[in-house]
């Protein structure tokens, strides 16, 4: 009798304890507050909606797979996520204007923004600061009537210089190989601007030069594009027409001579 009672007690104990041991840790929540610069009002950049995405934390500099996304009004100042497994997450934030253009984000923040979720608890990440996105510059060149190859010309590099104040202050200079290794975007090559120097609200002059392997210009003067500042996150597409059948010349694309500014080209 004593043995049977002991066995029954052990079975009952196992039934009571087993569910708690076998169950997963309860999920937690995460609030992600955000701000533009030094708490600049959303209206200054015209930000309407903000997308906050959580990514799996796989390393300090790796976004990892996207886990969850919330879209909130910029004025809300935060996004909330519920039902998250415990762990660390990278936080990716972007704000768009009324034309659905990303005008502010944290994509280049170093280190990447992140937050921690504790099992069964309400958690709040550090405030994520988003900053104005630079203008994007896409450049293409047509060689010898558009059918030439880089091997046919003495050009090794194309230099793109960006300015504000109509050339008084340089923003960024970037050199392309004549045959870039990076994939083209809609037939254009993208200027790389990791430090966000091409401010879209200041950019008003771009020059394109053709260089030889010693860095010497092969043309009389660089091609110039004068413009009104395109705005944060906007894209500017430029085409340079180069002919090196004799001496090298560089010119605007057909129909892209600026009628209001002699010697200047219009963007595509």
């Amino acid at each position: 009798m004593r043995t049977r009672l002991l066995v029954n007690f052990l079975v009952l104990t196992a039934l009571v304890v087993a569910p708690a041991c076998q169950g997963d840790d309860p999920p937690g929540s995460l609030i992600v507050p955000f701000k533009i610069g030094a708490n600049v009002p959303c209206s200054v950049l015209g930000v309407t909606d903000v997308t906050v995405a959580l990514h799996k934390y796989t390393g300090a500099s790796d976004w990892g797979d996207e886990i969850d996304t919330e879209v909130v009004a910029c004025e809300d100042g935060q996004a909330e996520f519920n039902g998250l497994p415990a762990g660390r997450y990278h936080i990716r934030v972007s704000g768009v204007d009324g034309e659905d253009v990303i005008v502010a984000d944290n994509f280049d923040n170093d280190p990447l923004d992140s937050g921690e979720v504790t099992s069964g608890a309400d958690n709040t990440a550090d405030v994520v600061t988003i900053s104005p996105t630079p203008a994007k510059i896409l450049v293409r060149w047509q060689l010898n009537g558009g059918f030439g190859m880089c091997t046919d010309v003495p050009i090794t590099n194309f230099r793109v210089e960006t300015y504000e104040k109509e050339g008084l202050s340089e923003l960024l200079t970037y050199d392309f190989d004549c045959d870039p290794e990076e994939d083209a975007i809609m037939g254009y090559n993208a200027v790389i601007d990791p430090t966000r120097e091409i401010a879209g609200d200041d950019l008003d002059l771009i020059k394109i030069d053709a260089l030889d392997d010693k860095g010497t210009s092969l043309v009389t003067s660089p091609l110039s594009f004068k413009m009104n500042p395109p705005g944060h996150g906007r894209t500017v597409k430029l085409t340079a027409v180069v002919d090196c059948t004799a001496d090298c010349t560089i010119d605007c694309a057909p129909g892209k001579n600026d009628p209001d500014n002699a010697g200047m080209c219009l963007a595509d």
Side-chain angles (χ1 to χ4, degrees):
M1 176 68 69
R2 184 176 298 170
T3 301
R4 180 179 298 174
L5 289 173
L6 179 60
V7 170
N8 288 340
F9 174 76
L10 292 174
V11 171
L12 179 60
T13 301
L15 290 174
V16 172
V17 174
C21 294
Q22 294 174 358
D24 296 331
D25 291 338
S29 66
L30 181 65
I31 292 175
V32 179
F34 56 82
K35 65 177 182 176
I36 302 173
N39 284 313
V40 173
C42 299
S43 58
V44 171
L45 294 183
V47 180
T48 55
D49 295 328
V50 173
T51 298
V52 181
L54 300 183
H55 291 249
K56 184 177 180 180
Y57 189 98
T58 57
S61 58
D62 182 10
W63 282 109
D65 294 333
E66 187 175 302
I67 303 299
D68 200 358
T69 302
E70 290 287 340
V71 180
V72 298
C74 182
E75 287 78 8
D76 290 350
Q78 66 179 38
E80 183 173 356
F81 297 85
N82 296 297
L84 294 172
R88 195 165 186 79
Y89 298 86
H90 277 314
I91 303 170
R92 191 176 174 98
V93 182
S94 59
V96 299
D97 62 10
E99 297 179 355
D100 208 30
V101 174
I102 295 177
V103 293
D105 64 36
N106 73 328
F107 297 174
D108 294 322
N109 285 5
D110 186 16
L112 301 182
D113 294 293
S114 62
E116 187 82 27
V117 173
T118 304
S119 176
D122 297 329
N123 306 271
T124 301
D126 292 337
V127 178
V128 175
T129 300
I130 59 178
S131 56
T133 55
K136 300 176 179 64
I137 299 178
L138 302 180
V139 180
R140 65 181 177 181
W141 41 90
Q142 299 174 355
L143 303 177
N144 294 351
F147 300 100
M149 307 290 289
C150 287
T151 52
D152 302 330
V153 297
I155 299 169
T156 58
N157 293 93
F158 284 93
R159 174 165 294 170
V160 179
E161 300 173 345
T162 64
Y163 296 89
E164 62 177 336
K165 301 175 183 176
E166 298 184 359
L168 289 177
S169 181
E170 184 177 347
L171 296 172
L172 176 74
T173 293
Y174 185 79
D175 285 1
F176 287 104
D177 288 339
C178 184
D179 249 335
E181 294 183 2
E182 295 81 4
D183 292 335
I185 302 172
M186 300 177 291
Y188 293 82
N189 305 291
V191 170
I192 307 301
D193 180 19
T195 53
R196 298 177 175 238
E197 296 180 52
I198 308 175
D201 56 341
D202 295 326
L203 174 70
D204 58 14
L205 180 66
I206 302 174
K207 291 180 176 288
I208 300 178
D209 203 354
L211 311 177
D212 63 15
D213 57 358
K214 296 180 181 179
T216 303
S217 177
L218 292 167
V219 297
T220 303
S221 60
L223 206 60
S224 296
F225 298 80
K226 187 177 179 180
M227 65 197 71
N228 294 322
H232 299 297
R234 263 55 184 185
T235 298
V236 179
K237 297 179 181 178
L238 309 174
T239 299
V241 176
V242 181
D243 190 291
C244 287
T245 51
D247 294 333
C248 289
T249 61
I250 190 168
D251 204 350
C252 310
K256 292 298 181 179
N257 291 90
D258 189 341
D260 299 320
N261 296 282
M264 297 282 182
C265 300
L266 298 172
D268 293 358

